[in-house]
Amino acid sequence: MPIPNSAEGEGSVRLYGARQNNLKNIDVEFPRAALTVVTGVSGSGKSSLAFDTIYAEGQRRYVECVSTYAKQFLERLPRPDYDRVDGLAPALAIRQGAAAQTGRSTVGTVTEVADHLRLLLARVGETICAKCGTKVPRHSVDSVLEAILAREREEVTLWFELPAHPGETAKQLWARALARGFVRARSGSDAAPRSRKASASARTGWARLDEPPPRGLTLPIHVYVDRLLPAPENRTRLRESLEIAWREGHGRVFVESEAGETLCYHDGRTCERCGREFPEPLPQLFSFNSPYGACPECRGFGNVLTFTLRRVVPNPGKSVLEGALEPWANSWRAHFLPKLKTVSERYGIPLDRPFRSLSKDHRKILLEGAPGFRGVFPFLERLRAKSYKSSARFLVKHYQEAVLCATCGGNRLKPEALEVYVGGRNIAQLGAMTVGELRPFLADLRLDPMGEQVAATILAELRGRLEYLSETGLDYLTLDRPSKTLSGGEAQRIELANALGGSLSHALYVLDEPTVGLHPRDTERLIRVLRRLQGRKNTLLVVEHDPDVIQSADWILELGPGAGERGGRVLYQGPRELWPGGDLACSEWAGAVAEAAAEPYGRAKKAAWIEVRGAREHNLKGR
Ligand SMILES: [Zn+2]
Ligand SMILES: [Zn+2]
């Protein structure tokens, strides 16, 4: 059936002589920038056509036009069995369970929502010291400017400490300060006393950089930037000087008063009340996949391997002499038996009684040791510490179990990562939210004007991604849900949401039963999502049985009549309005096809076509 060119002139995809798997040398055609549903009984060749031929060829062509570097990451597919294809665009498959299935990936990571939340925390998060509950100030040039204007009434000197490269000497640093265009500097050890009581002038100690450095120059090197009265009329100059000092001093600037008192302003990583230091809130701090953010105890796994009683004494009904302490029961028995006898005599431990009937103290001695006797656990710990040999490692592993990490409580992050909040929530609390909860939370997020500006693009990205997830019916998923626990349908809808978030147009999306596992009320939403993708001039080829999806298609490709060798033929291809299956109640149609399929091949084909033709005539008459 010829396809009239659509108003946009998008044309069609034409495939000739498809013979992949059970396809019977068929020709198919479907419009571009439209929604086509491939339907038919199970095993009739829908996947052979949609995935093994059309997607495979589209993907193969796509791979041909990307860089050699990118090629290594893409699925390489052999050329499918067909004669010719026209109008094919680069193809993307959205399959059941297609999301990344690595052990550490979560809904948050595969949708990139987690990346953006990390950025948000890094840019506008506020650190609250967990020890004393104090908000750790986070200075910027602007906040320092306001602080100085509010505080200082006399002239101040602005300077910064030039950060030394590893191995750089004071003399080299002096030369570097000159090269960077500064005029005066001093050695940190010559600085004016830092107490208001001291009467030394802040003017002292500064030497010209273009003269030979003072004798006995030591680190650190203070570099002079400006000296001025912090008054409203000097605001612009103060700001400019602060910016220079802030930038050159890597976020640390010193303000020295006439009396010699010096205040250090920095980008805020020390608690003012208890003096605790905090790591710089880089985005990696909020990722357990990064060594910078991972819990040091469990290295980001959330649990640690620990020797457990259950493994060490698997059968507490046995006595020690019968081998209750399993690590010492076999090859180590001869070595440890004399030691056990000695400790038993000293503490009166009955070695011939079941382990479970021993007193708590006696069990503790055997397991944890006593003076002069190394217990089973310390023995295993020591073995682990020097277990370079794989046999020893294997032995040690046998007595270990994965136990929830006590340091991070299983959330896999450094404790400091959890002290940074946005809208009162840290990364773990944000991750535990569902898509449906996070959307209003971010919409209601109030930031200061500066933060608002900094976070605007990040928030826009987040809003978009969450909206797409919501549109594909995934409001109920939490971001920290491991992607390997998702159903095939959920993983596919995440891919669909990602496709919506991407900006591809003129591509071919091939989908595999996207309604599987979807609540019927969400099907309509799914159809809207498909239509949005189509609205960007993408071509959609959807393998589907769902009557609602079929009813909303532009074009139908029906394969059949039977399964396997009895399928692989085109029963119908054309506009949905003319499709005979569309007029019958779905069950009736499926029944007719199934009946036909049950017949021997030759008759089945005939029977199915008779049904089809009759229905079509009826349909045409009605128009
Ligand atoms: Zn504190
Ligand atoms: Zn941990």
Side-chain angles (χ1 to χ4, degrees):
M1 177 169 302
I3 296 176
N5 273 348
S6 55
E8 297 87 359
E10 295 297 330
S12 63
V13 178
R14 289 170 303 279
L15 172 74
Y16 303 98
R19 289 176 300 272
Q20 188 74 22
N21 305 334
N22 68 336
L23 299 179
K24 302 289 190 304
N25 199 19
I26 56 175
D27 300 344
V28 296
E29 182 173 18
F30 55 95
R32 291 175 62 151
L35 173 57
T36 296
V37 166
V38 183
T39 193
V41 295
S42 174
S44 58
K46 302 187 296 292
S47 285
S48 298
L49 176 67
F51 286 97
D52 302 343
T53 308
I54 295 168
Y55 163 68
E57 183 55 24
Q59 172 73 352
R60 221 172 60 85
R61 293 181 173 202
Y62 172 64
V63 171
E64 291 314 310
C65 60
V66 299
S67 71
T68 322
Y69 175 73
K71 268 179 195 157
Q72 61 185 312
F73 302 110
L74 294 165
E75 200 181 349
R76 291 276 202 147
L77 297 156
R79 187 188 186 280
D81 191 4
Y82 70 94
D83 293 334
R84 209 183 90 205
V85 64
D86 297 326
L88 191 60
L92 292 105
I94 302 182
R95 272 189 256 218
Q96 304 275 336
Q101 301 272 301
T102 68
R104 286 186 166 203
S105 74
T106 62
V107 169
T109 61
V110 297
T111 58
E112 292 177 1
V113 167
D115 297 319
H116 288 90
L117 285 177
R118 270 181 231 128
L119 265 180
L120 190 68
L121 282 160
R123 299 275 165 79
V124 298
E126 52 182 38
T127 304
I128 295 171
C129 174
K131 200 171 151 201
C132 68
T134 307
K135 185 177 160 188
V136 179
R138 183 168 181 160
H139 284 304
S140 62
V141 169
D142 288 281
S143 69
V144 176
L145 177 71
E146 298 309 326
I148 294 173
L149 284 171
R151 181 187 169 99
E152 307 292 345
R153 292 286 168 266
E154 294 171 37
E155 281 203 328
V156 292
T157 305
L158 296 182
W159 55 269
F160 65 92
E161 232 174 66
L162 189 60
H165 298 319
E168 204 173 23
T169 66
K171 260 188 174 171
Q172 287 167 328
L173 217 57
W174 191 268
R176 191 148 64 83
L178 176 66
R180 293 198 65 79
F182 293 97
V183 178
R184 273 185 282 268
R186 71 184 175 199
S187 174
S189 49
D190 298 338
R194 296 182 184 191
S195 136
R196 208 172 265 282
K197 287 171 200 150
S199 57
S201 165
R203 290 169 192 273
T204 60
W206 298 108
R208 288 193 64 89
L209 278 161
D210 55 1
E211 287 168 9
R215 211 178 276 272
L217 187 70
T218 53
L219 292 172
I221 299 296
H222 296 176
V223 181
Y224 174 101
V225 178
D226 200 0
R227 181 182 156 79
L228 76 172
L229 182 70
E233 63 270 24
N234 284 337
R235 193 185 180 93
T236 311
R237 179 173 147 197
L238 179 59
R239 189 174 209 293
E240 282 168 5
S241 297
L242 270 174
E243 270 173 3
I244 293 168
W246 190 261
R247 186 182 65 232
E248 299 288 328
H250 293 192
R252 284 160 65 90
V253 57
F254 295 83
V255 180
E256 192 167 321
S257 73
E258 195 73 352
E261 190 196 46
T262 304
L263 281 174
C264 172
Y265 295 93
H266 53 88
D267 44 3
R269 294 193 287 276
T270 308
C271 175
E272 283 178 340
R273 192 182 292 174
C274 69
R276 272 185 66 211
E277 292 213 12
F278 296 86
E280 192 177 351
L282 301 172
Q284 305 91 285
L285 179 64
F286 310 105
S287 165
F288 53 77
N289 283 325
S290 153
Y292 190 67
C295 166
E297 183 63 33
C298 63
R299 289 178 300 149
F301 285 98
N303 47 44
V304 281
L305 286 174
T306 310
F307 296 110
T308 61
L309 183 62
R310 217 161 46 159
R311 290 287 173 93
V312 169
V313 186
N315 186 354
K318 279 188 186 173
S319 71
V320 172
L321 287 179
E322 287 165 340
L325 303 171
E326 204 181 274
W328 292 346
N330 301 310
S331 53
W332 293 93
R333 185 180 163 87
H335 179 76
F336 280 100
L337 204 55
K339 293 176 195 280
L340 281 166
K341 288 204 164 134
T342 313
V343 81
S344 141
E345 275 161 28
R346 193 183 321 152
Y347 296 98
I349 305 174
L351 295 183
D352 54 350
R353 298 252 299 274
F355 184 83
R356 76 155 70 87
S357 70
L358 298 181
S359 75
K360 211 175 156 194
D361 287 346
H362 286 166
R363 276 185 285 176
K364 194 175 169 194
I365 290 168
L366 292 172
L367 294 171
E368 291 168 29
F373 171 72
R374 183 180 285 140
V376 182
F377 286 143
F379 159 77
L380 288 169
E381 284 296 348
R382 189 147 171 271
L383 202 59
R384 172 166 70 172
K386 46 179 206 176
S387 62
Y388 331 104
K389 288 189 202 136
S390 62
S391 59
R393 270 208 302 274
F394 183 78
L395 181 79
V396 161
K397 271 231 169 99
H398 180 71
Y399 300 109
Q400 291 178 320
E401 277 184 287
V403 172
L404 197 68
C405 171
T407 304
C408 65
N411 66 48
R412 308 167 168 210
L413 289 164
K414 254 182 199 171
E416 292 89 337
L418 302 177
E419 291 172 277
V420 184
Y421 297 82
V422 158
R425 299 198 186 217
N426 65 23
I427 187 73
Q429 292 160 337
L430 290 168
M433 291 173 91
T434 64
V435 169
E437 289 163 351
L438 197 56
R439 290 181 68 200
F441 171 82
L442 291 176
D444 295 342
L445 191 62
R446 291 288 159 263
L447 299 167
D448 56 47
M450 190 69 183
E452 204 86 55
Q453 209 180 326
V454 170
T457 39
I458 305 169
L459 285 171
E461 284 282 338
L462 277 169
R463 229 171 275 133
R465 278 159 216 274
L466 292 169
E467 189 192 320
Y468 300 138
L469 284 168
S470 175
E471 277 184 31
T472 46
L474 297 172
D475 263 336
Y476 61 91
L477 287 183
T478 61
L479 297 173
D480 55 12
R481 171 99 170 257
S483 41
K484 62 184 173 204
T485 69
L486 295 171
S487 75
E490 285 168 339
Q492 190 187 28
R493 288 198 292 284
I494 284 182
E495 293 257 311
L496 199 54
N498 284 346
L500 273 177
S503 49
L504 270 183
S505 70
H506 296 94
L508 170 66
Y509 284 98
V510 187
L511 288 93
D512 185 16
E513 297 194 60
T515 60
V516 166
L518 196 63
H519 194 281
R521 66 160 182 261
D522 289 327
T523 302
E524 208 173 304
R525 255 196 319 186
L526 177 82
I527 292 166
R528 280 207 300 275
V529 169
L530 297 177
R531 286 295 181 192
R532 277 181 70 162
L533 275 177
Q534 182 217 339
R536 294 183 202 159
K537 301 272 186 286
N538 291 303
T539 304
L540 288 119
L541 194 61
V542 183
V543 174
E544 188 57 272
H545 296 288
D546 183 89
D548 290 332
V549 176
I550 292 173
Q551 276 311 308
S552 63
D554 301 311
W555 197 261
I556 302 284
L557 270 172
E558 187 185 6
L559 299 183
E565 270 314 298
R566 298 199 286 150
R569 294 177 190 275
V570 178
L571 295 189
Y572 175 82
Q573 54 179 325
R576 195 250 314 146
E577 302 84 51
L578 301 181
W579 182 51
D583 254 16
L584 297 170
C586 192
S587 57
E588 201 182 324
W589 170 250
V593 170
E595 214 171 85
E599 298 286 316
Y601 176 61
R603 284 181 60 202
K605 188 183 161 207
K606 207 169 142 201
W609 275 108
I610 287 167
E611 283 288 335
V612 166
R613 198 172 288 164
R616 186 186 292 170
E617 278 168 1
H618 171 77
N619 194 335
L620 286 173
K621 222 180 276 172
R623 282 164 72 94

